[in-house]
């Protein structure tokens, strides 16, 4: 006799699967496609700035000249040439490291997943800025890590607060695995960690035995072209550095990387091979062409100029259309500004009204693991044109006043 069980497939999933929740950014994606809708939601790079004919020629040449290599499996760490070229890119932020310390990944999202997979057991704590990248929260939840936030002011995390959070967690018997930080043009807040605070943050983490995971996809997109030195330069043995070509070239290629302390490199590669065997060789060869045979620094300047103008249009529109008592950040690079509405205004409710008015954004709660950010919201200014940003912020102001 066969017995049947009432358990559904979902019931049979591993406990960690409960953390696999739809991303709030993806959730508004379909809405942002509706005709007439202005999206302040997705942080997409503005690819029309790329000279597409040149890129097409590069990609064509890769296939014509190195097709057998491009379409074959490759090294689990990435191609040696790209590892070396990535070292040149990182020099702009003061990082000096050997090519063999660079593990190439399918975007820095995969690097985040690998580092978390290597370090976090269920119940371990990751410290993160509040607010932080929603895609990182998804990874931490997927590995059943707990997240403790450290609030930011306009200069990034306050080192004293970081110390307090670490001490408090230790006193409560928690195991802290790493401090996850986006020190430049934080997603979602647009805030950067000041130069003065960098050394103290690094010192505190070293003294407390807490690793740092430095996620830096936007660092080269400073509006004034001045890149800040990476935290990695201050303590290479205690900082994992995550980089990406998604914002300085194109996200569709899915090429990012992680620089890991030497004793971790081997395991990192094994973990990466278990996930994806090797990074896409075709994509890596196209990126090699981009970095070795193209004015990629000029391209970064062209991207930054577009974002700087869009940021200014957004800030001007906020000044004109936000109700009294509203605060927002003034980013000096990157894709985002962060808006704080007067206490008690729930941005999830504002979102419903905003969609009616023809504009979407991501509510602030998405960027907190602890229910915070309910009166806050993120505006991405990277993709919409200036007139759309102005009109979108105007509609947002009307939506806020209507709830
Ligand atoms: N980290 C941060 C802070 C991001 O904003 C993003 C993308 N929006 C990523 C990582 C992932 O980027 P990718 O995988 O495309 O490199």
């Amino acid at each position: 006799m066969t017995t049947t069980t009432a358990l559904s497939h979902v019931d049979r999933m591993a406990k960690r699967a409960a953390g696999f929740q739809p991303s709030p950014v993806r959730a508004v994606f379909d809405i942002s496609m509706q005709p007439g809708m202005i999206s302040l939601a997705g942080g997409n790079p503005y690819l029309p700035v790329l000279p597409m004919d040149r890129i097409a020629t590069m990609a064509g040449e890769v296939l014509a000249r190195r097709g057998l290599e491009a379409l074959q499996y490759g090294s689990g760490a990435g191609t040696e040439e790209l590892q070396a070229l990535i070292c040149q890119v990182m020099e702009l932020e003061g990082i000096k490291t050997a090519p063999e310390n660079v593990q190439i990944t399918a975007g820095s999202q995969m690097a985040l997943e690998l580092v978390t997979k290597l370090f976090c057991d269920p119940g371990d704590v990751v410290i993160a800025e509040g607010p932080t990248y929603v895609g990182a929260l998804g990874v931490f939840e997927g590995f059943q890590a707990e997240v403790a936030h450290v609030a930011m002011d306009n200069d990034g995390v306050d080192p004293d607060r970081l110390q307090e959070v670490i001490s408090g967690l230790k006193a409560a018997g928690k195991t802290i695995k790493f401090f996850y930080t986006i020190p430049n043009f934080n997603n979602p807040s647009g805030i950067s960690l000041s130069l003065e605070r960098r050394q103290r943050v690094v010192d505190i983490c070293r003294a407390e035995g807490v690793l740092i995971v430095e996620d830096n996809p936007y660092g080269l997109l400073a509006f004034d072209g001045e890149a800040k030195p990476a935290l990695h330069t201050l303590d290479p043995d205690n900082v994992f550095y995550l980089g990406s070509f998604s914002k300085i070239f194109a996200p569709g290629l899915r090429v990012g990387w992680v620089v890991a302390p030497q004793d971790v490199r081997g395991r990192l590669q094994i973990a990466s091979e278990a996930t994806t065997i090797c990074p896409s060789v075709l994509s890596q060869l196209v990126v090699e062409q981009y970095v070795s045979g193209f004015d990629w620094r000029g391209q970064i300047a062209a991207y930054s100029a577009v974002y700087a103008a869009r940021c200014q249009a957004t800030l001007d529109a906020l000044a004109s259309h936000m109700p009294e008592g509203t605060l927002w950040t003034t980013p000096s690079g990157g894709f985002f500004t962060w808006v704080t509405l007067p206490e008690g205004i729930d941005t999830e409710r504002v979102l419903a009204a905003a969609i009616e008015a023809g504009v979407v954004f991501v509510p602030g709660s998405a960027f907190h693991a602890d229910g915070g950010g309910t009166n806050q919201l993120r505006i991405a200014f990277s993709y919409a044109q200036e007139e759309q940003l102005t009109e979108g912020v105007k509609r947002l102001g009307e939506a806020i006043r209507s709830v």
Side-chain angles (χ1 to χ4, degrees), residues 51-64 249 285-291 293-295:
M52 209 51 86
D53 46 348
R54 299 259 336 256
I55 309 294
T57 308
M58 266 184 224
E61 280 174 8
V62 162
L63 281 170
F249 183 12
L285 297 191
V286 172
V287 175
E288 279 180 18
Q289 287 296 308
Y290 180 73
V291 182
F294 180 77
D295 178 19

Side-chain angles (χ1 to χ4, degrees), residues 106-109 112 133 180 182 187 215 217-218 244 246-247 251 254:
S108 52
Q109 186 70 26
L112 260 173
Y133 171 47
Y180 168 70
I182 308 155
N187 177 1
D215 188 9
Y218 305 100
S244 176
S246 288
K247 312 290 158 45
R254 310 305 303 130

Side-chain angles (χ1 to χ4, degrees), residues 15-21 116 134 136-147 366 368-369:
K15 290 192 190 70
R16 78 180 81 89
F20 300 167
Q21 298 297 333
T116 311
V134 59
L137 290 176
V139 172
F140 304 148
E141 277 158 24
F143 286 97
Q144 297 167 278
E146 291 172 19
V147 176
H368 293 81

Side-chain angles (χ1 to χ4, degrees), residues 10 56 60 89 104 116 139 218 229 276 313 325 329 334 346 372 382-383 387:
V10 171
V89 174
I104 297 173
T116 311
V139 172
Y218 305 100
T276 171
T329 58
D346 178 354
S382 55
Y383 199 78
E387 315 77 69

Side-chain angles (χ1 to χ4, degrees), residues 119-127 144-148 165-166 168-179 208-211:
F119 283 93
C120 290
D121 289 313
D124 284 348
V125 178
V126 171
I127 300 176
Q144 297 167 278
E146 291 172 19
V147 176
V165 169
I166 293 174
L169 287 165
K170 286 193 172 174
K174 298 284 187 184
T175 303
I176 307 167
K177 281 298 166 69
F178 53 81
F179 171 42
E208 295 287 351
V210 173
L211 291 167

Side-chain angles (χ1 to χ4, degrees), residues 76 136 142 185-186 287 314 319 376:
F185 321 124
N186 166 287
V287 175
T314 305
Q376 297 176 305

